[in-house]
């Protein structure tokens, strides 16, 4: 369970989940379907610009992978917004893979002991789990 929460926090603070959402939207917008009008004849559904936009929006709305990514992003974002800045900074220092800080440096940056930082992280993960029961 803790591994899933750690992964969610790492994806969020590293910006990976936003990149995955953007990539999935790009894939849905650029996916071309094969022309099914093989035998000739008259085209019944002419794709004008309005129907293309509506089609893309429908694809994005119905795509399960995109919905899962957005729900994971929203869960962490809502949790982060509701917490104090000190805890958010500590989690950012620890989980952001671009910074790659260890507990010793995180503790110095937030003016706490390493053990207190780890306790705060554990409490935050527990509160996150209580708020988001769908993770289990």
């Amino acid at each position: 369970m803790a591994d899933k929460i750690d992964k969610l926090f790492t994806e969020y603070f590293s910006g990976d989940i936003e990149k995955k959402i953007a990539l999935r939207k790009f894939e849905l917008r650029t996916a071309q379907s094969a022309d099914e009008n093989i035998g000739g004849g008259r085209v019944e559904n002419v794709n004008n610009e309005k129907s293309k936009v509506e089609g893309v929006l429908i694809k994005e709305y119905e795509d399960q992978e995109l919905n899962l990514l957005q729900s994971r992003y929203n869960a962490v974002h809502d949790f982060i917004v509701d917490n104090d800045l000190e805890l958010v900074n500590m989690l950012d220092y620890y989980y952001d893979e671009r910074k790659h800080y260890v507990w010793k440096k995180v503790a110095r940056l937030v003016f706490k002991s390493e053990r207190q930082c780890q306790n705060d992280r554990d409490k935050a993960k527990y509160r996150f789990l209580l708020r988001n029961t769908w993770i289990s």
Side-chain angles (χ1 to χ4, degrees):
M1 190 58 52
D3 292 339
K4 290 181 182 180
I5 297 172
D6 285 334
K7 184 177 180 193
L8 278 174
F9 283 171
T10 302
E11 285 180 340
Y12 179 83
F13 287 109
S14 296
D16 291 342
I17 198 158
E18 292 172 346
K19 291 176 190 173
K20 288 179 183 178
I21 290 171
L23 178 65
R24 186 63 187 161
K25 284 183 178 181
F26 178 75
E27 288 173 351
L28 292 173
R29 290 179 182 169
T30 59
Q32 300 293 330
S33 60
D35 185 15
E36 296 176 7
N37 190 9
I38 297 172
R42 189 166 179 200
V43 178
E44 294 180 16
N45 296 327
V46 177
N47 289 334
N48 56 19
E49 293 300 317
K50 183 179 177 184
S51 63
K52 287 181 184 178
V53 171
E54 290 173 353
V56 168
L57 292 176
I58 290 170
K59 279 184 192 177
E60 287 181 4
Y61 181 76
E62 292 178 347
D63 188 56
Q64 291 179 355
E65 183 180 344
L66 181 61
N67 289 334
L68 177 66
L69 289 170
Q70 287 177 334
S71 66
R72 290 167 60 188
Y73 175 82
N74 290 336
V76 179
H77 182 73
D78 293 343
F79 177 75
I80 295 302
V81 168
D82 290 343
N83 281 300
D84 60 334
L85 188 59
E86 182 180 315
L87 178 67
V88 172
N89 286 337
M90 185 196 68
L91 292 174
D92 181 42
Y93 292 145
Y94 182 69
Y95 284 109
D96 190 351
E97 289 180 336
R98 296 169 292 190
K99 295 175 184 169
H100 198 60
Y101 292 160
V102 294
W103 279 120
K104 187 174 276 190
K105 186 165 185 174
V106 172
R108 269 190 292 136
L109 290 170
V110 296
F111 305 107
K112 292 183 177 182
S113 68
E114 291 180 45
R115 190 67 201 140
Q116 183 61 43
C117 289
Q118 292 169 353
N119 285 339
D120 290 348
R121 179 213 43 196
D122 293 342
K123 289 176 188 175
K125 285 170 39 176
Y126 182 71
R127 285 196 316 259
F128 180 78
L129 182 62
L130 290 178
R131 255 178 102 167
N132 301 293
T133 55
W134 57 269
I135 292 174
S136 59

